[in-house]
Amino acid sequence: MDFAIKLENLTKLYKNNRGITDLNLEILPGEIFGFLGPNGAGKTTAMKIMTGLLLPDRGNAYLNGYSILTDYENAMRDIGCIIENVCMFPYLTAYENLKLCARFYPEIDENRLLWSLQETGMLAYKDERVKNFSLGMRQRMGISLAILSNPKILILDEPLNGLDVEGMVEMRKLFKRLSKENGTTVFISSHLIHDVELTCDRVGVVYNSKLLGVEKIDTILKNYSSLENYYLSEVDINGNS
């Protein structure tokens, strides 16, 4: 079976003993996967390794079948991502930032640029400079940049942070639409349990640098009253082992 994302014994520990330890995970094409855990659990560390921003102490990550350690260019060829902060040129407009990014992708045309802005609710602001944008607007712009190249995999670190309720609903619908219509694999890290429950097909609970458990959302909701109760149960049983 071909996996969109495969992590094998992925380990990266810092001097304060935070990071990730022996992370193993397999995610299917078109799946929306939630990486759920508190701040400092190791979510961003794992995603930085997956996108080549950090080297692991040991283990490997495969994106679309390619190793990020030995075949990085191919591994990142069809990837869109947001890791930590969204970085843009503040003196350029929303449209100009996207057009600058599009220079790396010769297949992107004017329609794709406008589509990317439309899908994230930013088309009306395309001629405004980014320096005047609110946190939520910057987050929407980050998602616009991530989906611009029509990637096979989206790796999104806390993509709903800073969004209002309307924005969260719109982005959840966008992720589901990309998954269903395009077969896009969406890997989302979050500590917002309710949004993970409403968005994802499966969820992995990360706590104290370890992956405690992975389960389908449908299965969780058959056995627990909410994802929150499942999360607390996993932490209580396995969190300190």
Side-chain angles (χ1 to χ4, degrees):
M1 182 179 293
D2 294 327
F3 297 102
I5 299 173
K6 185 174 183 179
L7 309 181
E8 290 184 346
N9 301 316
L10 208 59
T11 299
K12 177 73 175 181
L13 290 175
Y14 304 105
K15 292 181 179 179
N16 59 9
N17 289 322
R18 290 182 181 174
I20 53 171
T21 304
D22 292 323
L23 186 60
N24 290 282
L25 187 60
E26 296 172 338
I27 299 172
L28 293 170
E31 187 174 15
I32 304 179
F33 187 88
F35 212 36
L36 180 63
N39 294 328
K43 303 188 301 297
T44 298
T45 295
M47 298 176 93
K48 282 184 175 180
I49 295 173
M50 290 165 62
T51 52
L53 299 176
L54 278 178
L55 287 174
D57 295 336
R58 64 176 182 271
N60 206 342
Y62 300 86
L63 304 180
N64 292 319
Y66 299 103
S67 164
I68 55 101
L69 296 179
T70 60
D71 202 354
Y72 180 72
E73 184 174 342
N74 281 322
M76 293 301 296
R77 188 177 301 278
D78 290 305
I79 310 299
C81 63
I82 299 174
I83 306 295
E84 292 189 324
N85 299 321
V86 178
C87 295
M88 291 170 286
F89 292 99
Y91 52 87
L92 296 181
T93 66
Y95 178 83
E96 288 169 340
N97 268 280
L98 281 178
K99 193 169 184 179
L100 186 64
C101 182
R103 294 175 63 187
F104 295 98
Y105 305 96
E107 69 277 9
I108 293 177
D109 58 14
E110 177 79 5
N111 289 334
R112 185 70 192 185
L113 286 167
L114 298 178
W115 174 89
S116 182
L117 291 166
Q118 176 69 42
E119 289 297 302
T120 58
M122 291 300 294
L123 186 59
Y125 310 101
K126 72 182 184 72
D127 296 320
E128 292 189 23
R129 292 187 180 185
V130 168
K131 70 177 183 179
N132 298 321
F133 286 174
S134 66
L135 176 60
M137 294 171 76
R138 288 173 182 267
Q139 199 70 0
R140 287 173 182 260
M141 273 301 300
I143 297 171
S144 292
L145 289 165
I147 66 175
L148 179 60
S149 64
N150 192 28
K152 293 181 181 178
I153 298 175
L154 281 171
I155 299 175
L156 306 174
D157 187 14
E158 303 283 1
L160 303 181
N161 271 7
L163 294 176
D164 55 22
V165 174
E166 182 180 354
M168 289 182 180
V169 172
E170 290 174 0
M171 293 309 103
R172 287 202 303 262
K173 289 180 179 178
L174 172 60
F175 300 151
K176 289 184 176 182
R177 190 162 62 250
L178 291 173
S179 170
K180 183 176 181 180
E181 296 178 3
N182 295 2
T184 307
T185 305
V186 186
F187 187 97
I188 300 173
S189 81
S190 183
H191 59 273
L192 303 174
I193 292 180
H194 181 65
D195 287 296
V196 171
E197 180 178 320
L198 293 175
T199 307
C200 300
D201 302 311
R202 279 196 305 155
V203 63
V205 175
V206 188
Y207 192 83
N208 281 348
S209 306
K210 297 179 181 179
L211 184 63
L212 303 186
V214 177
E215 189 56 87
K216 293 181 179 179
I217 293 292
D218 288 347
T219 302
I220 290 171
L221 296 181
K222 286 178 183 177
N223 297 299
Y224 296 84
S225 60
S226 66
L227 178 57
E228 180 177 311
N229 285 340
Y230 168 78
Y231 170 83
L232 293 173
S233 175
E234 286 293 310
V235 169
D236 183 52
I237 296 171
N238 302 311
N240 297 309
S241 60

